[in-house]
Amino acid sequence: MARRWWPISAIVLTLAACGAPEALPAPSFAAVDAITHSYDGDFNFYVGGGVAVLDCNDDRYPDLYLAGGESPAGLFVNQADGEISFSETEDPVGIEGVTGAYPLDIDSDGVLDLVVLRFGENVLFRGLGDCRFEPANDTWGFDGGDAWTTAFAAHWEDDGFPTMAFGNYLVVVDDENRRQDWSCEDNVVVPGRTGGFGSPTPLSPSHCTLSLLWTDWARNGTVDLRVSNDRHYYVDGQEQLWTFETGGPTEYAPSDGWKRLEIWGMGIASHDVTGDGLPDYVLTSQGDNKLQTLSDGADRPLYTDIAIRRGTTAHRPHAGDDVLPSTAWHPEFGDVNADGLVDLFLAKGNVEAEPDHATDDPNNLLLGQPDGTFVEGSAEAGIVHMGKTRGAALVDLDLDGRLDIVEVNRAAPVRIWRNEGNTGRWLQVWLSHPGPNPNAVGARLEIRDGETTWTLDHEIGGGHAGDQQGWIHVGVGSARTVEARVTWPDGSVGPWIETRTDRYVELSPAGELVEWSP
């Protein structure tokens, strides 16, 4: 794979402070009855259920594309009315069999497209503007396969189309009943070309993947592919890290420092929790969740689990009477109280009716603390419920500067929580990149206030079956002014530019900062 000389990961937030910010309490959230869509289906849809967050009509407000499983997927357009309300659009993207989706400007025309994962052929939908889409598999020479796809990640290597990785689950027997056998389908990497895509390259062995992430784990400019796998079904499998620097896909081995780990891997989120400048990884699972940090620096991928000492195991329900182990799906970092300390949301829910795992298993909202630990804040925030959540998103739906929560629930309506709390100050940044890769996937955003520097790397992948493109939200605590700088995907570094906080700003490689108002 091509080399880049700046940090890359899903959405990575690094905090380097001379004096740590002061932790704020959990903000209060209120349930909003805005969408009745649910993620339904039998065994083939026990996993998946993601949400893609995108602006499909160029009004800068976040719209939602929601997986439906056996039911049709739904595209819900934000009404941008100061409240949180949506209208569902009749469009070709409302297809059945959808497990998840990711927004990506594949052809770099300035209009976001959709990568739709399915039980069956995956579909690329080309954005036409005004929240209209058209199927583009044939147009772009994309082979959508016929597998059970549950994970995705993408990155740009050059000025062509992006390189995309698709994670597959159990092998599907091609008969009229679309049965499964109990072996794992190979994942594939699809290389981008000028104007389209090349032939898929299988990653063998594969171990029933539920999350993928392109990541520069060593901060050396080399982008490797991290893979999280569901141990329910693989034989002799493990968590994986693939390199493409040797002329073809090669797994990291114990001799390279990679330690064998077998979990019920369901989601990946990345953040520099330890403050060493290197990404750490939350891996959701059944029972305890992992928080991995490099043991010996960046020389080799030897990881140690620090979840217990940091307070992120979330291994049993934090509310209710159920004491059985938890089941976690989508992880996501974001600063919900804008105190300058990143928080961690974990979507939870029984697979279906597993007797050895909790039935009443509420989601976690883990609040970051100045010492690098996390404490539970869901009850204080008022978001405790016992539904089965799968995909999720932390996103400012009404553009009031506060992160709201979207939860995709299995066999139950989507839950939207509006953040109504008193929070710290914030900045939201829109990256505008002319030419290929208009959303600047692979860029690094830095915000500083003289004492603290916040660094966010913008990528697409990880989570559980969904991700977002649009405003990048940074909580900055009490800072009234900050400076912003971007390292762009071509490696060029923009100047530091001063701006007031509690603002929406657009940054471009020309070194300009433009304020925007909802």
Side-chain angles (χ1 to χ4, degrees):
M1 292 294 173
R3 301 176 71 87
R4 300 192 189 127
W5 300 102
W6 58 89
I8 298 173
S9 59
I11 288 288
V12 184
L13 177 60
T14 300
L15 176 63
C18 298
E22 180 180 352
L24 294 176
S28 58
F29 288 82
V32 177
D33 186 15
I35 295 175
T36 58
H37 183 89
S38 63
Y39 180 71
D40 300 308
D42 58 14
F43 176 77
N44 303 320
F45 303 104
Y46 286 1
V47 299
V51 51
V53 180
L54 72 161
D55 173 20
C56 62
N57 56 5
D58 200 29
D59 64 358
R60 300 294 173 95
Y61 278 77
D63 307 304
L64 304 176
Y65 180 70
L66 301 165
E70 286 185 353
S71 301
L75 177 62
F76 294 85
V77 180
N78 197 320
Q79 295 302 284
D81 56 5
E83 301 297 328
I84 295 180
S85 61
F86 294 87
S87 64
E88 186 171 9
T89 179
E90 297 294 332
D91 191 273
V93 294
I95 58 177
E96 296 179 359
V98 174
T99 58
Y102 290 76
L104 191 68
D105 191 350
I106 294 170
D107 58 356
S108 296
D109 66 351
V111 181
L112 280 172
D113 312 303
L114 278 170
V115 180
V116 176
L117 313 183
R118 299 179 68 235
F119 180 72
E121 182 185 22
N122 298 318
V123 179
L124 305 182
F125 284 102
R126 179 172 177 260
L128 303 175
D130 198 26
C131 295
R132 296 174 298 115
F133 294 84
E134 66 179 11
N137 285 17
D138 293 341
T139 303
W140 291 334
F142 171 70
D143 180 1
D146 195 30
W148 180 357
T149 304
T150 47
F152 176 81
H155 74 108
W156 260 265
E157 299 178 36
D158 50 38
D159 290 342
F161 277 33
T163 291
M164 306 187 299
F166 292 84
N168 296 320
Y169 208 53
L170 291 170
V171 170
V172 178
V173 179
D174 190 15
D175 64 12
E176 62 181 11
N177 296 315
R178 300 278 295 161
R179 294 179 295 109
Q180 301 79 41
D181 70 23
W182 303 109
S183 59
C184 297
E185 185 79 43
D186 277 348
N187 301 330
V188 296
V189 172
V190 181
R193 301 283 188 259
T194 300
F197 294 98
S199 299
T201 298
L203 298 181
S204 186
S206 291
H207 305 305
C208 291
T209 296
L210 288 175
S211 195
L212 294 168
L213 177 63
W214 293 105
T215 177
D216 183 3
W217 58 269
R219 294 296 197 237
N220 64 5
T222 300
V223 184
D224 296 326
L225 183 64
R226 183 146 193 166
V227 185
S228 196
N229 300 308
D230 186 354
R231 70 179 294 180
H232 273 303
Y233 303 113
Y234 60 66
V235 177
D236 297 327
Q238 60 174 313
E239 300 292 279
Q240 296 172 291
L241 184 67
W242 291 86
T243 178
F244 296 79
E245 289 293 300
T246 56
T250 303
E251 273 192 274
Y252 281 87
S255 59
D256 303 312
W258 187 250
K259 188 188 302 183
R260 185 178 187 87
L261 175 64
E262 297 181 33
I263 61 173
W264 292 273
M266 296 175 178
I268 307 172
S270 183
H271 165 68
D272 181 14
V273 174
T274 61
D276 62 359
L278 299 167
D280 308 304
Y281 300 93
V282 166
L283 309 175
T284 53
S285 181
Q286 290 187 299
D288 62 330
N289 302 289
K290 305 299 181 183
L291 175 56
Q292 292 191 322
T293 190
L294 279 171
S295 302
D296 299 326
D299 291 339
R300 56 186 187 144
L302 178 61
Y303 284 88
T304 299
D305 183 24
I306 58 171
I308 292 177
R309 73 183 77 160
R310 298 287 180 163
T312 62
T313 56
H315 56 288
R316 295 189 188 276
H318 62 83
D321 298 325
D322 207 325
V323 297
L324 293 174
S326 283
T327 302
W329 300 90
H330 180 86
E332 187 168 341
F333 286 104
D335 193 351
V336 297
N337 51 12
D339 59 3
L341 300 164
V342 76
D343 310 311
L344 175 61
F345 179 84
L346 299 175
K348 294 280 194 72
N350 196 290
V351 174
E352 185 63 13
E354 291 193 346
D356 296 331
H357 290 84
T359 299
D360 294 334
D361 197 5
N363 301 328
N364 294 96
L365 182 61
L366 302 175
L367 302 177
Q369 303 299 299
D371 62 358
T373 63
F374 294 81
V375 298
E376 183 60 57
S378 296
E380 183 181 8
I383 63 170
V384 176
H385 70 90
M386 301 301 174
K388 298 176 182 177
T389 305
R390 293 296 191 259
L394 301 180
V395 55
D396 182 4
L397 292 171
D398 52 357
L399 297 191
D400 65 355
R402 296 174 290 198
L403 288 176
D404 309 302
I405 302 173
V406 179
E407 301 172 349
V408 181
N409 296 300
R410 172 160 169 73
V414 166
R415 286 180 183 264
I416 294 179
W417 301 96
R418 182 174 186 170
N419 188 335
E420 297 184 340
N422 294 319
T423 66
R425 296 183 178 274
W426 49 269
L427 187 71
Q428 300 216 51
V429 178
W430 190 282
L431 298 181
S432 180
H433 185 253
N437 187 13
N439 298 106
V441 173
R444 180 177 64 186
L445 170 65
E446 297 171 276
I447 309 293
R448 69 184 185 186
D449 70 349
E451 293 185 346
T452 303
T453 299
W454 296 267
T455 303
L456 296 93
D457 292 348
H458 180 50
E459 275 290 356
I460 288 294
H464 185 74
D467 203 351
Q468 53 186 293
Q469 288 275 16
W471 293 106
I472 300 173
H473 179 279
V474 187
V476 296
S478 60
R480 293 181 178 273
T481 62
V482 295
E483 292 181 303
R485 179 175 76 172
V486 180
T487 301
W488 297 95
D490 62 2
S492 62
V493 181
W496 287 104
I497 306 174
E498 186 175 86
T499 178
R500 294 172 296 172
T501 56
D502 293 348
R503 294 291 186 275
Y504 296 84
V505 300
E506 179 178 335
L507 295 174
S508 68
E512 299 175 343
L513 183 149
V514 179
E515 287 195 9
W516 180 89
S517 179

